[in-house]
Amino acid sequence: DAGITQSPRHKVTETGTPVTLRCHQTENHRYMYWYRQDPGHGLRLIHYSYGVKDTDKGEVSDGYSVSRSKTEDFLLTLESATSSQTSVYFCAIRKKGQTEAFFGQGTRLTVV
Amino acid sequence: AQSVSQHNHHVILSEAASLELGCNYSYGGTVNLFWYVQYPGQHLQLLLKYFSGDPLVKGIKGFEAEFIKSKFSFNLRKPSVQWSDTAEYFCAVNGVDSSYKLIFGSGTRLLVRP
């Protein structure tokens, strides 16, 4: 268990509304990642962070922004949700000295 | 850009059958390779990883994978599957850069029939 908590776990929202997903970790890891999972695409990286206020884009970053004002929290914001952003969102961390990522339980987001 | 290909999208096996799932990646440099498993309704869990040394790596639950550098492959194997192995399996790679970000294949859904 990597001490990752994602909230909310499920959300239904309307097109055009802003949505923020939260990833909280308890172990002070430097690297945090947001992925989305869609059938036939596996997981695709949205944004990642390598420290407080240090973030960078992944391969599918359009329509998403992130913030990391504290080590323990990495927020993903959909500025104006669209139906194409209906997905399962996973947060992950990388522990110091290890190469693999550890994943949270996921957030299922439905945009109607 | 790095990419990962998983050629089998759906696999159906009977219990005790042998399993081999293909994974190929495109990256010419040093890589770390992973197989993750996602059981129904759950998050991804690491099955095994390769970063250096013996190209045959053993993971949890009797899984193993072989890294063949000349073929850019990292195939997952299990000699005898169980019903409880029903899950989705993802191959992933990260290049040895400062971000450690993972690039995933599209996944293989495995159904094991009792």
Side-chain angles (χ1 to χ4, degrees), chain B residues 91-107:
Chain B
C91 182
V93 60
N94 65 10
V96 184
D97 65 16
S98 60
S99 72
Y100 295 94
K101 53 184 182 280
L102 290 171
I103 307 297
F104 283 86
S106 56

Side-chain angles (χ1 to χ4, degrees), chain A residues 72-84:
Chain A
E72 58 266 35
D73 288 324
F74 190 31
L75 304 181
L76 176 70
T77 297
L78 289 65
E79 290 137 9
S80 177
T82 68
S83 58
S84 65

Side-chain angles (χ1 to χ4, degrees), chain B residues 17-68:
Chain B
S18 64
L19 170 72
E20 181 160 4
L21 302 182
C23 173
N24 288 90
Y25 65 95
S26 65
Y27 186 68
T30 303
V31 292
N32 300 311
L33 295 154
F34 310 85
W35 276 98
Y36 282 85
V37 62
Q38 186 178 33
Y39 298 104
Q42 296 190 24
H43 64 293
L44 276 77
Q45 303 169 45
L46 183 69
L47 265 183
L48 48 78
K49 64 180 180 181
Y50 171 83
F51 54 94
S52 66
D54 189 344
L56 184 62
V57 293
K58 295 190 183 298
I60 60 172
K61 304 187 181 187
F63 286 91
E64 65 180 31
E66 184 175 14
F67 170 54
I68 303 178

Side-chain angles (χ1 to χ4, degrees), chain B residues 9 30 51 55 66 70 72 75 81-82 97:
Chain B
H9 298 295
T30 303
F51 54 94
E66 184 175 14
S70 61
F72 297 89
N75 292 353
V81 294
Q82 301 172 317
D97 65 16

